[in-house]
């Protein structure tokens, strides 16, 4: 049984949208200086989407958990 490629691509694109980091707007009348970033999506939505993305990767790249280097995860990824 094959995977619906269009669906998988859409799920991956949605995950990327949810996890995009951005600088939220300052509250009206307040100016803040910070390097803090937030995800575009809600935490619950990100977790649900991550579960689907992991299943897609498990099917397409079965060894992705061990073959993708993790040495920079603490500085590059959240």
């Amino acid at each position: 049984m094959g995977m619906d490629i269009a669906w998988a691509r859409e799920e991956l694109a949605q995950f990327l949208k949810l996890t995009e980091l951005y600088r939220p707007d300052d509250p009206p009348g307040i100016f803040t200086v910070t390097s803090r970033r937030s995800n575009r999506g809600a935490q619950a939505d990100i977790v649900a989407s991550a579960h689907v993305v992991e299943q897609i990767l498990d099917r397409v790249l079965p060894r992705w958990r061990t073959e993708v280097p993790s040495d920079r995860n603490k500085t590059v990824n959240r």
Side-chain angles (χ1 to χ4, degrees), residues 27-61:
I30 298 174
F31 176 75
T32 58
V33 178
T34 181
S35 61
R36 185 169 190 274
R37 302 281 188 248
S38 296
N39 290 107
R40 293 253 178 229
Q43 188 72 23
D45 295 336
I46 292 170
V47 170
S49 182
H51 179 71
V52 173
V53 167
E54 286 179 351
Q55 303 236 350
I56 292 168
L57 291 174
D58 284 342
R59 276 202 62 196
V60 177
L61 302 166

